[in-house]
Amino acid sequence: MESEFPVSEDVQSIRLLSRRALWMHLNIGPFGIAYATWAITVFGVYGKEETNWEVSLIALAAMVVVQLLASLFCLWSVHVNSLLRCRAESDVSKATLVKVTPTPNNGFPELVSLRRTESTGESRYPRIWFEFQKMKYVYDAEEKKRFEPVDFPTRRTMREYVESRGYENDEQIEEASKKFGKNRLDIEPPDFWALFYERATAPFFVFQVFCVSLWCLDEYWYYSLFTLAMLVVFEATLVKQQQKNLSVIRDMGLKPYTIQVYREKKWKSLQTDELLPGDLISIGRSKEGDVVPCDLLLLKGPCIVDEAMLTGESVPQMKEPVENRTSDDELDVEKDQKLHVIFGGTKVVQHTAPSKDTDGIRPSNNGCLAYVLRTGFNTSQGKLLRTILYSVKRVTANNLETFGFILFLLFFAIISATYVWTEGTKDPNRNRYKLFLQCTLILTCVVPPELPIELSLAVNTSLIALTKLGIFCTEPFRIPFGGKLDVCCFDKTGTLTSDNLVVKGIAGINENVDTLVAVSDASNQTSLVLASCHSLVQLDEGSVGDPLEKAALKAVDWSISRGDIVTPRKGLRQSIKILHRFHFSSALKRMSCVVSHQKGATGETFYMATVKGAPEMIKGMLKKVPENYDAVHQRMSQQGARILALAYKELAGEMSTRELRELRRDDVERDLDFAGFLVISCPLKDDSKMAIKDIRKSSHHVTMITGDNPLTACHVSSELKITSRTTLILKKINDEWTWEAIDQSVQVPCVPERGKKSLTEKYDLCLTGEAMMHLANYERKFFNSVLPSVKVFARVSPKQKEQVITTLRDLGYYTLMCGDGTNDVGALKHAHVGVALLTSTKTVPKRRSVESSVDPSPPKKDPSSQQQPKLPAEPRIVSAGKLNRVAKGRVASNRAADAPGRKKLEKLLKELDEETEAPIVKLGDASIASPFTSKSSSPKCIAHVIKQGRCTLVTTLQMFKILALNALIAAYSQSVLYLDGIKFSDSQATCQGMLLAVCFLFISRSQPLTTLSKERPLPNIFNVYTLLTVCLQFAAHFGCLFFLVKESKALLPPSTEEFVDLEKDFEMTVLNSTVFLIGMTMQVSTFAVNYKGHPFMASLRENKVLLYAIVASYLWIVLLASGVAPDLASQFEIVEFPPEFQKKLVLILGLDCIATLVIDRTCQFLFGRSKLRAL
């Protein structure tokens, strides 16, 4: 059985399996038959004398290799393992294993064991379940007949929660314990040998060991054993580091502590790891600073929660109990999370105990009563921990492109190996074993073993750089998307505009639409609305809450104290008591409060409802709408102000606590009296204009998506130059949807005859949420065509923000969303790059090495900055991996005599590893809202994400080009030149190997430029420019090499032998010396020509270490070729060239460098530019 639909948001599909008998494993049984057939054929049918042993042994070796590969692929691929070692089952009762395939970018498939426990309670079926990525999935044998995540009590009615009495007997507790398990966030690091086995069977390590084996067979024992020892030591070091990092993640889990739990009709003290969904607990402010142990629904008593550790939001959130909501509406955790749900991992900073006259259960320690919704890794904190834990392995580039690149190189490798075998077998006396070994070495040299390391290095480098800038990423695979972006979408409020709001005054209380009345001169009713209709709370450090509400309360000159009592700072007005709040909702676009205040000398208490919200929503709730209501609203909005309509109404008579709880929101928010418009100026952040300007200039489309008024949004977009022409807003006029200019000077039908062209050619467009709904429902085709061209989306709900992003993504646009991490969660998660800007008290240390490309040297560490624990980057074993790609003679080069040079290289590698280790993202740095979290509220961080994304793309592209060229040259060197008997000495091979390693080391140290370029990088590897420049550069190298080999052969004495002796030792000849020098030139040219600096990274002149290495190499080659330094030439076993040939040699070496440079720059000019996709 394989599920045909996603099991959950984390699991794409499952497949039931059972293990085959050992002899039926397809990587064992069929090969046993094949070996038996081979033995019978060789010894029984033909006999020892008639057998062609060459063919027979090759056939045997091929079978052994295929079996080894099949067995290794069982370790590398869960799909291959399940295919070869398991059989599919349709009956869950017969299955013993489950192949779990996660959703894309959510970890890797796994084979997990099915577990069975005896069922208790009413069910007559045994409970069948499995655990995947810390989540438990149970088989529903009675109804759905499929596996589902454990059903937590998160979809019950409000009445059920309020009337809940917890667990009343041991049977219920035992059943719940079996179903949900312990409330733990346990992450046990595997032991050393388990991790080492995992790394030792990885493809990279196996490939390295295979190469070492080949070198041993080719009699390079010393170097081979030394390399193997270095590999084992290096992997062991990485395993130790990995254990340390997993311990750091484990420490992020919750530590159990004692808490009050209502069980068996009484309060008990239990450890938090014993909590079960359905428990009733007492929660409150902890003196020890303990965090909330799990996800809770607040039943009785309000509290204030600091969610910074989970969402990064620095403003504490008010949580209201659901005791007043005794309806049959189901709980919606996503919808109600901001108001009623307390998440595990957060901290309660203030709580108010339920009143003593409260009916039902009341905590004995004066805490708030809460209902346990989710425990363990199913909580929001657990989900974030799982993201951090399982996203570590996602640091990679495009796997499909990488696979295509390997096939491209393998094609040339097979051609080269075939040529060697075909030409080599023409000599009947040639050793076939040595020939077969050489063919195998060609395949290992052409497919670069360091390819996955170099690709992960590109992502890791950007990940580190972003972390140093205070931008934390939980999904590193998204970093390269930053270089491909087409559309950058921004929320307005709090993202582009500042939180330092300025209250301009009150409008709409007289006939003049332009008149603003100072708040201090407003009517008593208006002051009461401003003073009472908010969600501010008083903590020890002062009042906290929405910056807009704080600005309004400050303007009216009132203050809030504990107990929700608001008092005027001066004057004779009485205090106000906020009795009940109907909190702000993005869907309703308003909030309201029920308050009490005293009037006159009698001190009689009066009750009133105060309301504020979007003008269009409040308009329908007024008893009488002022004649200039719309005119004032539009006039103020056109000036870029944020407008809130204020209203109130008197409530008759004395009201008891029960009557207050039973008040319905619809009853409170109707028949209101208008109290004016609150006009608030939302100044742009200091760097918003510059940030948007830089993004627009760097070839990106910029769009604003906001819940604010369309006129205000259009004004802000005009200030930011997002819109520069007449802006049309789609609105309903006389029951007809029409595009209308802000000043009403232009009107265009909703769907023009010429389509969107007649709109986009002359105008910028603005869509409201209501207009979006209309187009999506009735004009879908036009909606999809016009949506990318819309510059401003206004009055859209969080769900509609998500719709905009998903529509752009489905249309093929790479999208970025930048928001505040609360209302924009859906859009942030669905964008290719989602960045949540969070206001934090932490300062981000600025690192010059990240923001500047002038100094590529390692940055000095700031002792004041908090060092983040790090995960190891992929091992870059340059000394072993890089040397696989060069000619066979290079392998013998790294002998004991090279120890000083090798130590220096290892020191450099260690320094680079310290700079490029991928950091662990800690709780408090990451956000559940978004893949990227910026601890700075500045939109400038978007430029950093784009720069690092582009840098990753360019680095990947240049790595592919360099590796491809070196691989093609190696294929030619080890095939054609090998058959000509050309070899290198130990000193020559040492020089080539070290130069290759050092160049790769230095090329990875480049930093992105401080400014964004208008030019866009190529989005993928397979494009005309890359393929053409690689092929033409190789052709130039090949032409120079072929010419010099031909010329140098003419200088050799004629050979009397028909075939070249490939087994003879190295000897100094004109041919060997020439090939060595042209090979070195090609190697240096490959790095110098294909290194891409401006406009994305530091140029070659700014990357000093690489520049010095390349210049020194060129000078060294010229010295050897020109014969100026005969002692140096003798040391590297270079012969003295004849004068005429020497001139040709130096000329061709220079021509090779110039030709490849001209080829690459010409191809780049013609085909190397990427254009921004038109909207």
Side-chain angles (χ1 to χ4, degrees):
M1 177 193 77
E2 183 161 4
S3 59
E4 299 177 356
F5 42 83
V7 177
S8 69
E9 63 178 7
D10 299 319
V11 175
Q12 181 67 39
S13 64
I14 61 168
R15 186 184 179 102
L16 297 176
L17 304 167
S18 61
R19 187 76 70 184
R20 299 177 192 265
L22 185 63
W23 61 273
M24 291 185 66
H25 287 188
L26 297 183
N27 65 317
I28 296 177
F31 289 97
I33 298 172
Y35 293 139
T37 304
W38 179 87
I40 292 171
T41 303
V42 171
F43 298 105
V45 178
Y46 293 102
K48 293 184 179 180
E49 297 179 358
E50 299 181 10
T51 299
N52 186 335
W53 285 104
E54 181 180 317
V55 175
S56 300
L57 291 176
I58 290 176
L60 179 62
M63 287 190 292
V64 171
V65 169
V66 172
Q67 184 179 17
L68 284 174
L69 285 175
S71 300
L72 286 171
F73 269 101
C74 288
L75 295 174
W76 298 338
S77 171
V78 169
H79 302 296
V80 175
N81 189 16
S82 63
L83 177 66
L84 299 185
R85 295 180 175 178
C86 305
R87 61 171 175 267
E89 297 287 356
S90 57
D91 188 351
V92 70
S93 62
K94 297 179 181 179
T96 57
L97 298 170
V98 175
K99 184 181 77 173
V100 187
T101 304
T103 49
N105 302 315
N106 197 30
F108 298 101
E110 290 183 25
L111 273 181
V112 296
S113 299
L114 271 182
R115 303 181 188 181
R116 291 172 169 83
T117 54
E118 291 299 323
S119 179
T120 57
E122 300 178 357
S123 176
R124 54 191 176 88
Y125 297 98
R127 179 178 284 117
I128 303 174
W129 56 280
F130 67 87
E131 190 175 282
F132 175 71
Q133 292 184 355
K134 305 296 184 181
M135 296 282 285
K136 187 176 179 181
Y137 297 85
V138 181
Y139 185 71
D140 186 351
E142 298 182 354
E143 296 180 3
K144 298 182 180 178
K145 305 293 182 183
R146 67 186 183 102
F147 283 95
E148 291 189 328
V150 173
D151 183 24
F152 286 84
T154 57
R155 293 187 297 272
R156 298 182 179 178
T157 64
M158 292 296 182
R159 187 183 303 278
E160 288 179 277
Y161 290 118
V162 173
E163 296 176 356
S164 173
R165 292 296 179 267
Y167 293 104
E168 298 184 346
N169 53 60
D170 291 337
E171 290 76 11
Q172 291 180 351
I173 296 171
E174 182 182 359
E175 174 68 16
S177 298
K178 289 182 177 180
K179 180 178 180 181
F180 301 112
K182 294 284 188 181
N183 177 37
R184 291 176 179 166
L185 295 176
D186 290 337
I187 305 172
E188 290 300 328
D191 61 37
F192 175 86
W193 292 110
L195 287 174
F196 186 82
Y197 174 78
E198 181 183 345
R199 299 194 71 91
T201 54
F204 172 77
F205 188 88
V206 170
F207 187 75
Q208 291 282 10
V209 172
F210 176 64
C211 293
V212 169
S213 304
L214 291 178
W215 302 334
C216 287
L217 294 175
D218 210 16
E219 300 176 359
Y220 294 112
W221 292 96
Y222 173 79
Y223 177 74
S224 300
L225 293 177
F226 173 78
T227 302
L228 182 61
M230 289 295 293
L231 281 172
V232 171
V233 171
F234 194 79
E235 293 293 342
T237 305
L238 290 177
V239 167
K240 278 292 184 184
Q241 182 65 35
Q242 190 176 0
Q243 279 189 307
K244 179 182 176 182
N245 295 332
L246 288 173
S247 298
V248 172
I249 296 179
R250 178 191 60 190
D251 293 340
M252 294 181 190
L254 297 174
K255 303 295 186 293
Y257 60 90
T258 304
I259 196 168
Q260 290 292 307
V261 185
Y262 189 78
R263 281 188 184 175
E264 298 176 306
K265 301 181 180 180
K266 60 182 178 181
W267 287 97
K268 296 182 177 181
S269 295
L270 295 177
Q271 290 294 299
T272 53
D273 60 355
E274 298 180 47
L275 292 178
L276 297 168
D279 268 328
L280 299 181
I281 68 170
S282 173
I283 193 75
R285 180 174 182 174
S286 169
K287 295 180 180 179
E288 292 77 22
D290 293 324
V291 298
V292 177
C294 51
D295 288 353
L296 306 170
L297 178 67
L298 195 58
L299 298 182
K300 294 180 181 179
C303 63
I304 300 164
V305 180
D306 180 6
E307 296 183 343
M309 283 293 287
L310 196 62
T311 66
E313 179 59 54
S314 63
V315 178
Q317 302 296 307
M318 178 181 290
K319 303 293 180 177
E320 291 286 340
V322 297
E323 58 183 330
N324 301 327
R325 297 180 59 179
T326 56
S327 65
D328 292 327
D329 296 336
E330 279 193 358
L331 173 69
D332 185 339
V333 175
E334 296 298 325
K335 179 182 176 182
D336 297 317
Q337 63 178 1
K338 191 172 182 180
L339 186 57
H340 302 303
V341 178
I342 306 176
F343 294 113
T346 60
K347 287 186 179 181
V348 176
V349 295
Q350 182 176 299
H351 75 279
T352 303
S355 59
K356 294 182 179 180
D357 58 349
T358 300
D359 297 333
I361 301 169
R362 186 176 182 276
S364 58
N365 62 352
N366 290 326
C368 298
L369 185 67
Y371 182 98
V372 177
L373 292 175
R374 296 178 297 211
T375 56
F377 280 95
N378 296 275
T379 63
S380 295
Q381 184 189 15
K383 183 178 180 181
L384 182 56
L385 268 177
R386 285 189 292 113
T387 301
I388 294 172
L389 185 63
Y390 294 105
S391 69
V392 170
K393 297 179 182 178
R394 301 182 196 164
V395 182
T396 182
N398 191 312
N399 290 327
L400 185 61
E401 289 188 353
T402 304
F403 182 69
F405 172 77
I406 291 174
L407 289 181
F408 172 73
L409 295 182
L410 199 59
F411 171 75
F412 292 96
I414 293 172
I415 292 176
S416 301
T418 304
Y419 175 80
V420 169
W421 183 261
T422 304
E423 293 295 320
T425 52
K426 290 180 180 179
D427 183 0
N429 298 321
R430 186 163 287 164
N431 189 323
R432 299 296 193 268
Y433 164 74
K434 290 284 187 181
L435 203 60
F436 178 76
L437 187 61
Q438 180 63 24
C439 292
T440 311
L441 279 169
I442 290 174
L443 296 178
T444 62
C445 291
V446 174
V447 180
E450 71 274 15
L451 178 62
I453 303 166
E454 299 293 354
L455 297 183
S456 63
L457 173 65
V459 178
N460 269 347
T461 303
S462 294
L463 192 62
I464 274 290
L466 289 174
T467 303
K468 291 174 181 176
L469 290 165
I471 303 169
F472 299 90
C473 178
T474 57
E475 299 178 5
F477 70 92
R478 294 184 183 271
I479 289 178
F481 291 144
K484 303 180 182 182
L485 293 173
D486 298 308
V487 183
C488 296
C489 304
F490 290 85
D491 179 37
K492 180 183 76 70
T493 307
T495 302
L496 297 173
T497 58
S498 171
D499 286 337
N500 299 321
L501 307 178
V502 179
V503 176
K504 291 291 188 179
I506 305 298
I509 54 178
N510 56 41
E511 295 181 358
N512 192 334
V513 296
D514 291 321
T515 300
L516 273 178
V517 177
V519 174
S520 57
D521 297 331
S523 65
N524 187 53
Q525 287 79 7
T526 301
S527 298
L528 289 177
V529 174
L530 288 174
S532 63
C533 192
H534 55 73
S535 298
L536 300 176
V537 291
Q538 183 69 23
L539 298 181
D540 294 339
E541 57 270 23
S543 61
V544 296
D546 190 317
L548 185 149
E549 294 178 337
K550 291 175 71 175
L553 192 65
K554 181 180 178 181
V556 79
D557 204 18
W558 286 55
S559 63
I560 187 168
S561 58
R562 293 184 184 274
D564 286 337
I565 296 175
V566 191
T567 56
R569 296 183 185 275
K570 55 186 178 180
L572 301 176
R573 286 179 288 192
Q574 300 293 324
S575 299
I576 301 174
K577 169 73 172 177
I578 302 174
L579 303 173
H580 185 67
R581 288 184 176 94
F582 295 100
H583 286 268
F584 175 80
S585 165
S586 297
L588 300 177
K589 300 188 178 89
R590 63 184 182 272
M591 79 165 292
S592 56
C593 294
V594 177
V595 303
S596 65
H597 65 106
Q598 296 178 340
K599 281 186 179 180
T602 60
E604 184 180 356
T605 301
F606 290 85
Y607 296 86
M608 68 182 296
T610 57
V611 185
K612 69 178 180 184
E616 63 269 24
M617 302 302 295
I618 302 298
K619 182 179 179 180
M621 302 173 182
L622 299 177
K623 285 192 297 187
K624 181 181 179 182
V625 180
E627 294 181 0
N628 62 350
Y629 187 94
D630 292 330
V632 174
H633 167 217
Q634 291 183 7
R635 177 64 174 169
M636 294 299 167
S637 297
Q638 287 174 3
Q639 297 175 6
R642 188 172 180 183
I643 310 299
L644 287 177
L646 309 177
Y648 68 97
K649 76 172 180 180
E650 299 284 349
L651 299 176
E654 192 78 19
M655 301 187 72
S656 65
T657 305
R658 180 179 296 275
E659 288 174 329
L660 285 171
R661 286 205 303 262
E662 292 176 352
L663 275 176
R664 295 173 63 247
R665 184 165 192 160
D666 291 342
D667 295 331
V668 172
E669 297 173 348
R670 66 179 183 185
D671 298 331
L672 303 175
D673 294 314
F674 183 61
F677 292 111
L678 177 64
V679 181
I680 303 171
S681 172
C682 303
L684 294 173
K685 291 181 179 177
D686 294 338
D687 47 12
S688 289
K689 284 187 177 181
M690 185 57 67
I692 297 298
K693 180 182 178 181
D694 289 344
I695 293 169
R696 289 179 61 248
K697 280 190 172 182
S698 58
S699 300
H700 295 93
H701 300 294
V702 179
T703 301
M704 181 189 294
I705 310 178
T706 179
D708 209 342
N709 181 276
L711 296 176
T712 304
C714 288
H715 177 83
V716 173
S717 69
S718 177
E719 283 191 349
L720 293 169
K721 306 300 182 186
I722 295 176
T723 56
S724 56
R725 303 176 293 179
T726 301
T727 302
L728 303 184
I729 303 174
L730 183 60
K731 56 178 70 173
K732 205 170 187 178
I733 303 175
N734 299 326
D735 294 331
E736 291 289 335
W737 286 96
T738 306
W739 295 96
E740 185 179 60
I742 293 175
D743 58 4
Q744 301 178 351
S745 61
V746 179
Q747 287 190 349
V748 180
C750 176
V751 183
E753 293 182 3
R754 291 175 53 209
K756 75 166 188 176
K757 279 190 176 181
S758 58
L759 293 172
T760 56
E761 285 176 351
K762 298 180 181 179
Y763 310 107
D764 290 322
L765 305 180
C766 171
L767 268 183
T768 63
E770 188 181 5
M772 266 185 63
M773 191 182 304
H774 168 75
L775 291 180
N777 292 337
Y778 300 104
E779 303 288 350
R780 189 70 197 187
K781 185 177 179 181
F782 178 72
F783 173 73
N784 288 338
S785 68
V786 79
L787 184 131
S789 302
V790 176
K791 297 291 186 181
V792 179
F793 295 89
R795 278 289 187 254
V796 289
S797 65
K799 202 68 180 174
Q800 287 176 318
K801 291 184 181 182
E802 181 182 328
Q803 184 185 7
V804 172
I805 296 297
T806 53
T807 304
L808 287 171
R809 188 191 62 193
D810 294 343
L811 291 173
Y813 293 93
Y814 284 94
T815 57
L816 174 142
M817 178 66 196
C818 179
D820 58 12
T822 51
N823 293 328
D824 307 322
V825 173
L828 290 168
K829 287 184 176 179
H830 284 85
H832 290 95
V833 178
V835 185
L837 302 187
L838 304 177
T839 305
S840 176
T841 56
K842 297 179 182 178
T843 58
V844 179
K846 293 185 178 180
R847 302 292 291 265
R848 186 171 181 265
S849 62
V850 177
E851 297 187 354
S852 174
S853 64
V854 177
D855 183 10
S857 60
K860 294 181 180 179
K861 298 197 174 182
D862 184 359
S864 64
S865 63
Q866 185 177 356
Q867 188 69 24
Q868 296 293 334
K870 300 178 179 180
L871 285 176
E874 290 288 342
R876 278 162 291 110
I877 309 176
V878 182
S879 57
K882 302 289 191 290
L883 292 178
N884 291 342
R885 303 171 43 256
V886 297
K888 181 181 68 177
R890 300 186 192 178
V891 176
S893 61
N894 286 348
R895 305 290 180 130
D898 305 322
R902 185 163 53 245
K903 286 181 180 178
K904 290 181 180 179
L905 178 60
E906 288 173 0
K907 182 180 178 182
L908 288 171
L909 284 172
K910 185 178 179 181
E911 290 176 359
L912 184 61
D913 280 335
E914 291 174 354
E915 287 297 316
T916 55
E917 288 177 347
I920 295 178
V921 180
K922 287 181 130 184
L923 295 178
D925 293 334
S927 166
I928 59 173
S930 175
F932 292 84
T933 304
S934 174
K935 305 302 281 186
S936 167
S937 61
S938 169
K940 284 175 60 178
C941 69
I942 303 303
H944 295 310
V945 174
I946 295 174
K947 280 187 284 189
Q948 295 298 338
R950 288 183 169 186
C951 191
T952 300
L953 279 182
V954 173
T955 302
T956 303
L957 181 61
Q958 72 184 14
M959 288 291 185
F960 273 114
K961 289 167 61 182
I962 293 170
L963 292 171
L965 281 167
N966 284 336
L968 293 176
I969 294 170
Y972 180 74
S973 300
Q974 293 203 26
S975 54
V976 179
L977 300 184
Y978 170 78
L979 293 177
D980 286 338
I982 298 172
K983 292 185 176 182
F984 299 131
S985 68
D986 284 356
S987 57
Q988 291 173 352
T990 300
C991 180
Q992 283 191 326
M994 292 295 290
L995 177 63
L996 190 69
V998 169
C999 285
F1000 264 114
L1001 174 67
F1002 292 152
I1003 203 172
S1004 62
R1005 299 173 75 87
S1006 293
Q1007 300 293 342
L1009 296 180
T1010 55
T1011 56
L1012 279 171
S1013 168
K1014 184 177 182 180
E1015 187 176 337
R1016 293 169 60 88
L1018 294 168
N1020 49 54
I1021 301 163
F1022 290 99
N1023 52 72
V1024 175
Y1025 161 66
T1026 304
L1027 297 178
L1028 190 61
T1029 188
V1030 167
C1031 293
L1032 291 179
Q1033 284 185 63
F1034 176 67
H1037 289 316
F1038 175 78
C1040 295
L1041 182 58
F1042 181 81
F1043 175 78
L1044 287 177
V1045 169
K1046 181 180 177 182
E1047 291 292 314
S1048 59
K1049 281 183 178 179
L1051 300 176
L1052 296 176
S1055 176
T1056 57
E1057 297 180 1
E1058 182 182 357
F1059 298 102
V1060 177
D1061 183 8
L1062 302 179
E1063 303 301 323
K1064 67 179 180 180
D1065 294 332
F1066 169 81
E1067 61 182 26
M1068 292 173 58
T1069 65
V1070 173
L1071 180 59
N1072 282 342
S1073 299
T1074 301
V1075 171
F1076 169 69
L1077 290 176
I1078 185 64
M1080 287 290 294
T1081 304
M1082 290 188 295
Q1083 185 173 304
V1084 176
S1085 296
T1086 299
F1087 284 95
V1089 170
N1090 294 286
Y1091 176 80
K1092 284 292 175 285
H1094 292 183
F1096 305 113
M1097 300 189 305
S1099 67
L1100 187 59
R1101 287 183 298 175
E1102 294 163 342
N1103 191 341
K1104 301 295 185 185
V1105 285
L1106 181 60
L1107 176 64
Y1108 296 155
I1110 290 175
V1111 170
S1113 300
Y1114 275 131
L1115 292 175
W1116 179 74
I1117 292 169
V1118 171
L1119 286 175
L1120 293 179
S1122 61
V1124 175
D1127 293 338
L1128 183 64
S1130 176
Q1131 183 179 351
F1132 285 96
E1133 299 174 85
I1134 304 295
V1135 300
E1136 185 178 348
F1137 299 109
E1140 290 186 6
F1141 180 78
Q1142 194 176 70
K1143 292 179 181 178
K1144 288 183 181 179
L1145 177 61
V1146 175
L1147 180 64
I1148 294 299
L1149 294 181
L1151 182 63
D1152 179 77
C1153 301
I1154 295 171
T1156 52
L1157 180 64
V1158 171
I1159 286 171
D1160 183 72
R1161 297 304 183 262
T1162 303
C1163 291
Q1164 183 178 354
F1165 177 76
L1166 296 175
F1167 308 107
R1169 300 181 185 275
S1170 177
K1171 293 183 179 180
L1172 176 62
R1173 182 179 172 184
L1175 296 177

